[in-house]
Amino acid sequence: MANYWLFKSEPFKWSWEMQKAKGAAGEEWDGVRNYQARNNMRAMKIGDKAFFYHSNEGLEVVGIVEVNELSAPDSTTDDPRWDCVHIRAVCDMPKPVTLKAVKANPALEKMALVTSMRLSVQPVLQDEWDEVCRMGGLDPKSI
């Protein structure tokens, strides 16, 4: 069974357009220096899906990504504590889902995006995944 996640990125550092430009090969999700976020990546499996969220600017889910390489040492540091996964773009979110809309939806009040706003790599529960996909105009079963 696949798990679901959310990756946050500031668009001026790494945008959805930049992620999509990497194609099927995807890109290393590097630079994470938070133990909980790192542990989330260590728990990921090939094929797990995730929301790609623009933080600071936009504050919205803009796309869907997929884990295409398991957690391995982060190439941006020699510190063995830090790992990362590789992700590839799957599809655009037809209608970006704003943080404001997530917070306004009672079905999402316990979502990590609401309760752990600073965490850059977050778990997403199945019902949260389905609801955010629905809000964004996607059928969660088709992804």
Side-chain angles (χ1 to χ4, degrees):
M1 182 171 122
N3 293 309
Y4 300 102
W5 309 94
L6 181 142
F7 289 92
K8 286 184 172 184
S9 183
E10 297 174 1
F12 73 92
K13 289 184 180 176
W14 189 255
S15 71
W16 174 238
E17 294 303 318
M18 295 166 134
Q19 182 67 48
K20 289 193 305 184
K22 290 296 181 173
E27 181 67 11
E28 179 181 55
W29 196 261
D30 59 31
V32 173
R33 301 295 180 265
N34 172 285
Y35 288 106
Q36 189 175 357
R38 180 214 54 197
N39 291 344
N40 287 338
M41 289 190 289
R42 285 182 175 176
M44 292 177 184
K45 298 175 180 70
I46 301 287
D48 280 0
K49 300 287 190 296
F51 294 124
F52 191 103
Y53 178 85
H54 276 166
S55 62
N56 292 336
E57 299 169 33
L59 301 176
E60 57 192 0
V61 174
V62 293
I64 306 288
V65 295
E66 178 178 68
V67 175
N68 65 334
E69 285 188 36
L70 294 175
S71 181
D74 184 328
S75 71
T76 64
T77 182
D78 292 330
D79 188 332
R81 292 178 295 171
W82 304 116
D83 292 356
C84 61
V85 294
H86 281 66
I87 60 172
R88 69 173 188 87
V90 172
C91 66
D92 292 321
M93 185 63 72
K95 177 185 169 198
V97 179
T98 65
L99 177 60
K100 185 176 181 179
V102 168
K103 287 181 172 182
N105 186 329
L108 300 173
E109 67 186 3
K110 294 182 181 175
M111 187 174 182
L113 185 60
V114 174
T115 63
S116 303
M117 291 179 56
R118 296 184 50 83
L119 189 60
S120 64
V121 180
Q122 307 176 349
V124 174
L125 300 176
Q126 175 77 57
D127 60 331
E128 296 166 344
W129 176 264
D130 293 349
E131 183 66 9
V132 173
C133 285
R134 184 196 62 73
M135 292 168 69
L138 289 175
D139 175 1
K141 309 257 187 281
S142 69
I143 303 168

